[in-house]
Amino acid sequence: MFDDLPRLLLARDLLTQDGAIFISIDDNEESDLQNLCNEIFGEGNFVAKLYVKVNPRGRNLDMFVARTCEPVLCYAKNYAQPTTILPVEKDERMMSEYSLSDSCGAFRPIGLRNRNQNFNPVTRPTLYYPLYVNDKGNVSLTSDEEYCFEVFPDAPDGTKTCWTWSKQKVQQEGQLLYAEKARNGEWRIFRKDYADKDGKGATTLVKSLWDANDVNNDQGKASIKDLFGLNIMDFPKSPYLMKRIVEIGSLEESTVLDFFSGSATTAQAVMMKNAEDNSRRKFIMIQLPEMTDHRSEAAKAGYLNICELGEERIRRAGEKIKSEIEAENAQLTLDGTPRKVPDIGFRVLRVDDSNYEDRRKNVGSYSQADLDFDVEITKSDRSDLDLLFEALPKFQLQYDAKIDTLSGGEFDEHTVYSVNDGQLLACFEADIPESLVRALAVFRPRPSYVLVSERSLPDSAACTNFVEIFKQSADSKTGGTQIRII
C-alpha cells in the first residue's frame, strides 16, 4: 500500500484546484487506502465512497458473501470548489416528474414546507413565519386586502414544522412560489423547480451506488470484443463506467490522467465523452509494459505487452467513434446539423534514460583521447525525434505540441522539424550547409528557437557563422531567435 505513497503525492500536486481523484480498490485494502488518502489529501477533502456493481452475479471465489460491488474512493484537491464534482443529467424517470408547465417551461412542484419534524419553530425559529395567499394562488410575505389568507408551515395534524426557505429567499425568488387548495380547504404552498435552468437542463447530484448494467465488467468485456473481435482482456473495466467518472470529475477542457491505464479504457471514455458534448478533454495514460501471458488471447493476437494492447485499443476506439459520427452525418437531411468528430489523435512516449552518454570525469583523469572520444556523445540507437522530445521541456513546450516534418523546397531536401507551426525549428543532421542555415534564418514566421546538434556544426567557425547569420536576419519587429546546440 505504501508503495503508492509517491504516486498519490504526485497526483495531489498535479490536480487543479477544482480537480478530483478516483481510486478503485479491493475492499480488503480499502481502509488502509482511505487512511493514506486522509493524510495526503486531508480528511476534509474526502468526497464520497462510490460503490460500483461490477459483478452482478457475485464473485465465485468468496467464501461467505459473494461480493458484487467494488469501492471507488473520491477525494478533492479543494472540497470548497463548486466544480469539483459535477451533477449529472436526470434520467427519464426523474424527468417524468416535470409534468406541469408555464411560460417559462416545464416544472415540477415541490412543497415549501419541510416535512422533517426535527425542523420546527424551536430548532429553526427563523424558518417559522406566515405567508399570505390571494384567491388566485399568488404568494406574498405581507398581508393586505388582496393577500388575506394566512398560511403557516403546519402539518395537516397541526404539528408545527417550518419552511425550507427563509424570508430573504422568499423576497428574492418569490415569483417561483404558488399556492393550491387542498381537499380540506387549506392552502398548500409550492415552489416551481424548472427542468431547464439557464439553458443547462435538469441535473441532480450523482448517487453513491452505481448499479446500471452498462458499468459492470460484462460491459467491459463486450466493449473489448466489439473492438478486437475476441476477448483479449480478463477483467477490463467498462468504458461507460469510466465515462461516468469523466463526466462528473472533469470540465470540457480538462486533462484526465490514469496512472494504471491497463488497456486504456479511460482514453476510450474520454473520446466518447468528447464526441457526446463536443468538448476538448485530453488524456494521459500511464502503464508499465507488463508482458502478456504467452498463453493468453492477447499474446496470440500479437500483443506482447499491455501497452501495445492499450495503443491499439485507442486507435480502434477512435476510428469507431469517427465512423459512427460520419455514418450518422451521412443520414442527415439538408437542415440537419452534422456532429463534429472529436480529436482522436494521440502520441505514444516511453520513459527512458537520456539520449546522451554520461562521460563525466574528473579534470585530472582526462586525456586527449578522451576529449576526442567525447565529441559525439549521442547514443547510437536514438532517433532525431528522441532528441527533439528530450529537448522540448527545455523550451517549455508541451509533449503534445504539434510537430511537422519539413523537407524539400526551401530546405533543399534536408529534414527540419517545425514545432507549433515554426515556434521551434530543429535539425539534427551532420555538417549542415550554410544554405540550410540561411533558410532557417529567413523562415517566417520567425522562430522563437532554433535547435541543432553538435554534429550539425563541425567546428567553432561554423558555430560562429551560424549565430551571425541569424543576427543579420533579425529586425526590430521580429526580434532575435534563441539558438541551442545539443
Side-chain angles (χ1 to χ4, degrees):
M1 175 62 65
F2 288 98
D3 291 341
D4 294 324
L5 177 61
R7 188 178 293 107
L8 290 171
L9 288 170
L10 177 61
R12 179 196 63 190
D13 294 340
L14 289 174
L15 283 174
T16 57
Q17 283 301 308
D18 61 348
I21 184 171
F22 298 82
I23 310 171
S24 176
I25 190 70
D26 185 279
D27 49 9
N28 291 321
E29 298 179 308
E30 176 189 339
S31 60
D32 289 339
L33 176 64
Q34 188 159 3
N35 290 335
L36 185 60
C37 288
N38 284 341
E39 288 291 327
I40 295 172
F41 298 98
E43 290 186 47
N45 287 319
F46 173 69
V47 175
K49 188 182 300 179
L50 307 174
Y51 291 92
V52 182
K53 187 185 286 187
V54 295
N55 189 346
R57 293 177 294 277
R59 297 195 312 190
N60 296 327
L61 300 178
D62 293 326
M63 182 177 293
F64 298 113
V65 177
R67 297 177 179 129
T68 62
C69 293
E70 185 176 272
V72 176
L73 296 180
C74 177
Y75 279 81
K77 177 67 173 282
N78 183 351
Y79 193 89
Q81 293 290 326
T83 56
T84 292
I85 301 296
L86 303 177
V88 296
E89 292 184 2
K90 292 188 173 182
D91 58 28
E92 186 176 348
R93 180 191 63 79
M94 294 178 179
M95 290 303 297
S96 66
E97 298 177 358
Y98 294 85
S99 56
L100 303 178
S101 64
D102 59 15
S103 59
C104 296
F107 68 88
R108 61 173 179 166
I110 298 179
L112 192 66
R113 183 177 70 84
N114 194 328
R115 295 176 178 272
N116 187 340
Q117 295 185 7
N118 290 323
F119 296 90
N120 53 58
V122 176
T123 61
R124 296 293 188 275
T126 61
L127 295 179
Y128 187 81
Y129 56 88
L131 290 173
Y132 300 93
V133 178
N134 65 12
D135 55 9
K136 295 180 180 179
N138 299 320
V139 179
S140 173
L141 273 171
T142 57
S143 64
D144 54 25
E145 292 183 0
E146 180 183 0
Y147 291 87
C148 54
F149 302 104
E150 186 178 62
V151 182
F152 279 93
D154 298 340
D157 63 0
T159 301
K160 297 182 183 299
T161 57
C162 61
W163 301 119
T164 56
W165 282 13
S166 66
K167 286 186 177 182
Q168 183 181 7
K169 179 83 168 177
V170 172
Q171 191 170 18
Q172 293 172 344
E173 301 185 35
Q175 72 278 6
L176 298 177
L177 301 180
Y178 71 98
E180 287 184 348
K181 266 191 178 181
R183 292 181 179 178
N184 60 4
E186 295 182 353
W187 289 97
R188 297 177 59 192
I189 297 179
F190 301 88
R191 64 178 178 88
K192 298 178 181 180
D193 179 42
Y194 286 97
D196 192 343
K197 300 180 180 68
D198 301 324
K200 297 180 181 180
T203 58
T204 185
L205 294 180
V206 66
K207 306 301 185 291
S208 60
L209 175 62
W210 294 9
D211 58 353
N213 291 332
D214 63 359
V215 302
N216 63 46
N217 288 343
D218 288 342
Q219 183 60 52
K221 293 179 181 178
S223 176
I224 285 286
K225 188 172 184 180
D226 180 49
L227 292 175
F228 290 90
L230 69 163
N231 289 321
I232 57 176
M233 289 290 294
D234 291 331
F235 302 104
K237 283 186 165 47
S238 165
Y240 297 97
L241 165 61
M242 304 312 296
K243 177 172 167 286
R244 188 76 160 178
I245 291 175
V246 170
E247 182 179 19
I248 67 172
S250 68
L251 301 172
E252 293 184 356
E253 299 284 339
S254 294
T255 298
V256 179
L257 171 63
D258 191 337
F259 278 110
F260 298 96
S261 65
S263 64
T265 309
T266 303
Q268 180 178 355
V270 170
M271 292 188 292
M272 290 166 58
K273 186 59 183 173
N274 284 346
E276 181 180 282
D277 60 9
N278 194 28
S279 55
R280 295 174 56 84
R281 294 173 182 84
K282 298 178 182 180
F283 59 79
I284 299 174
M285 302 289 105
I286 300 175
Q287 178 61 49
L288 291 173
E290 299 174 11
M291 302 302 293
T292 54
D293 190 319
H294 69 279
R295 298 165 296 181
S296 67
E297 293 295 332
K300 293 175 183 177
Y303 303 107
L304 301 182
N305 62 61
I306 196 170
C307 293
E308 294 179 1
L309 180 60
E311 291 174 31
E312 185 61 22
R313 181 188 190 150
I314 298 173
R315 293 187 188 97
R316 296 191 182 206
E319 288 299 324
K320 181 175 185 291
I321 291 170
K322 177 182 177 182
S323 61
E324 289 175 347
I325 293 177
E326 289 176 344
E328 180 182 314
N329 290 343
Q331 300 298 318
L332 289 176
T333 58
L334 292 177
D335 58 346
T337 303
R339 289 177 61 196
K340 183 180 178 181
V341 177
D343 183 357
I344 59 174
F346 67 103
R347 182 169 285 159
V348 180
L349 302 175
R350 71 179 186 277
V351 178
D352 207 331
D353 53 10
S354 173
N355 294 306
Y356 307 99
E357 300 282 1
D358 186 357
R359 304 275 179 80
R360 291 174 294 182
K361 296 181 181 180
N362 293 328
V363 175
S365 65
Y366 260 107
S367 66
Q368 182 61 48
D370 292 327
L371 292 173
D372 293 338
F373 178 64
D374 288 348
V375 169
E376 177 56 68
I377 62 172
T378 303
K379 295 178 180 176
S380 60
D381 62 341
R382 303 305 166 94
S383 68
D384 288 353
L385 284 176
D386 290 333
L387 302 180
L388 178 60
F389 273 97
E390 183 170 346
L392 288 180
K394 299 175 182 177
F395 299 99
Q396 297 184 342
L397 296 173
Q398 302 293 326
Y399 284 127
D400 63 351
K402 178 185 177 184
I403 300 176
D404 296 309
T405 302
L406 310 177
S407 61
E410 59 188 316
F411 297 116
D412 194 23
E413 304 307 323
H414 295 282
T415 299
V416 175
Y417 298 99
S418 169
V419 180
N420 288 341
D421 297 319
Q423 183 180 3
L424 178 146
L425 295 181
C427 180
F428 304 103
E429 294 181 4
D431 300 332
I432 61 176
E434 183 177 314
S435 59
L436 177 58
V437 177
R438 294 191 179 279
L440 294 172
V442 299
F443 186 86
R444 294 294 182 268
R446 185 176 181 85
S448 299
Y449 314 101
V450 169
L451 177 67
V452 295
S453 69
E454 277 196 332
R455 64 182 179 177
S456 301
L457 305 171
D459 51 41
S460 59
C463 292
T464 302
N465 189 44
F466 188 96
V467 174
E468 288 301 320
I469 289 174
F470 272 87
K471 285 183 179 179
Q472 292 171 12
S473 66
D475 56 53
S476 59
K477 293 182 179 179
T478 58
T481 296
Q482 292 187 32
I483 298 170
R484 186 73 63 87
I485 301 174
I486 61 172

